[in-house]
Amino acid sequence: MAVRRLSPDQPRDFAFTPENLAWAKETIAKFPEGKEASALIPLLWRAQEQAGGWLSEPALRHVADMLGVAHIRAYEVATFYTMFQLSPVGAKAHVQVCGTTPCMLRGAEALVDVCKRRIAEHPHELSEGGQFSWEEVECLGCCANAPVVQIFKDTYEDLTPEALDRILSALERGTTPQAGSQIGRTTSSPEGALTTLTDPALHDGSRLGAWRARFPELADGSAAAPPAEKPKG
Ligand code: FES
């Protein structure tokens, strides 16, 4: 895992907007007295969203102060969890390319090449104009649809370099590309048609009659209860 440091360029200060402040107070109030620090992650997440996708040092201090904890408590959480960005990200998209084994085997390296060509040579480097950035991340939890990238809250799956190119162009134009499988699969259902469990009788209930006739005592609930387990020892 790479060393995660705060950006050398920091804004002067940070404060929640009135709406986010009200939300933060409500969130803190959900925790028992004395356990308010448990709201640290949701508050950091909201601060990140408010600031355009990254956490500045003033934002970390602001959240820690709200919760009455030492600043280091916020720093250690933000630097540990890679979902928190510690330097500015692209205003239109921060592309997180999954580089874990299933995605790597299915072409993640070619997706990284697209990011290098279209965005910037190095991860966490802003594109010219600051609209895009990228990084490689660990498993995004969509391995069956590898290779995958995540852009803010959406995942784009079953990707090819051409498909990622199209997605970046759409974002550049200001349109929102369709998230999910890029080859039209519903979630992670098989490509084309079902290849296993294809007999509808397996799931349409048509075999229930035969099953009831064969095991009436189970069907009407009159089967003897299994003997109670004897206590051990
Ligand atoms: S390995 Fe890429 S989503 Fe799991």
Side-chain angles (χ1 to χ4, degrees):
M1 186 169 155
V3 176
R4 286 167 52 77
R5 296 206 169 92
L6 303 187
S7 169
D9 301 318
Q10 294 289 336
R12 189 184 288 276
D13 46 33
F14 174 90
F16 276 124
T17 60
E19 298 75 34
N20 282 341
L21 183 61
W23 175 90
K25 285 180 179 167
E26 252 174 56
T27 302
I28 295 169
K30 288 178 186 166
F31 294 94
E33 214 181 311
K35 303 288 181 195
E36 291 83 357
S38 300
L40 184 58
I41 286 182
L43 262 62
L44 288 177
W45 192 255
R46 184 57 68 107
Q48 174 162 289
E49 287 180 336
Q50 181 182 307
W54 74 290
L55 276 176
S56 64
E57 204 264 344
L60 294 172
R61 276 191 276 115
H62 183 76
V63 169
D65 289 344
M66 273 186 83
L67 296 171
V69 298
H71 294 163
I72 186 65
R73 293 288 168 231
Y75 295 175
E76 62 193 7
V77 167
T79 53
F80 179 80
Y81 289 110
T82 54
M83 294 84 87
F84 292 119
Q85 300 295 333
L86 304 177
S87 55
V89 297
K92 284 192 171 163
H94 177 64
V95 182
Q96 297 181 299
V97 184
C98 174
T100 304
T101 314
C103 284
M104 193 53 82
L105 291 173
R106 298 270 296 163
E109 275 165 319
L111 303 183
V112 167
D113 289 342
V114 172
C115 292
K116 287 184 175 179
R117 175 169 54 79
R118 298 244 350 211
I119 301 174
E121 178 62 23
H122 303 107
H124 299 289
E125 191 179 322
L126 289 174
S127 64
E128 238 179 86
Q131 300 299 297
F132 291 89
S133 55
W134 71 277
E135 68 174 313
E136 188 177 321
V137 295
E138 299 303 328
C139 181
L140 291 169
C142 307
C143 324
N145 292 12
V148 175
V149 307
Q150 181 168 340
I151 298 176
F152 297 124
K153 288 182 177 171
D154 289 318
T155 53
Y156 297 85
E157 306 151 19
D158 293 320
L159 283 170
T160 57
E162 295 72 30
L164 181 57
D165 242 336
R166 280 196 301 275
I167 288 166
L168 294 177
S169 297
L171 291 162
E172 219 163 36
R173 291 193 302 274
T175 55
T176 308
Q178 178 73 37
S181 171
Q182 299 301 303
I183 55 170
R185 290 206 273 169
T186 303
T187 62
S188 55
S189 60
E191 204 178 332
L194 285 179
T195 54
T196 58
L197 305 177
T198 50
D199 180 356
L202 288 170
H203 47 78
D204 66 4
S206 61
R207 286 194 182 161
L208 270 179
W211 180 81
R212 285 203 179 99
R214 194 162 164 207
F215 304 107
E217 68 285 6
L218 291 176
D220 68 10
S222 64
E229 260 186 48
K230 283 193 191 144
K232 293 192 178 116

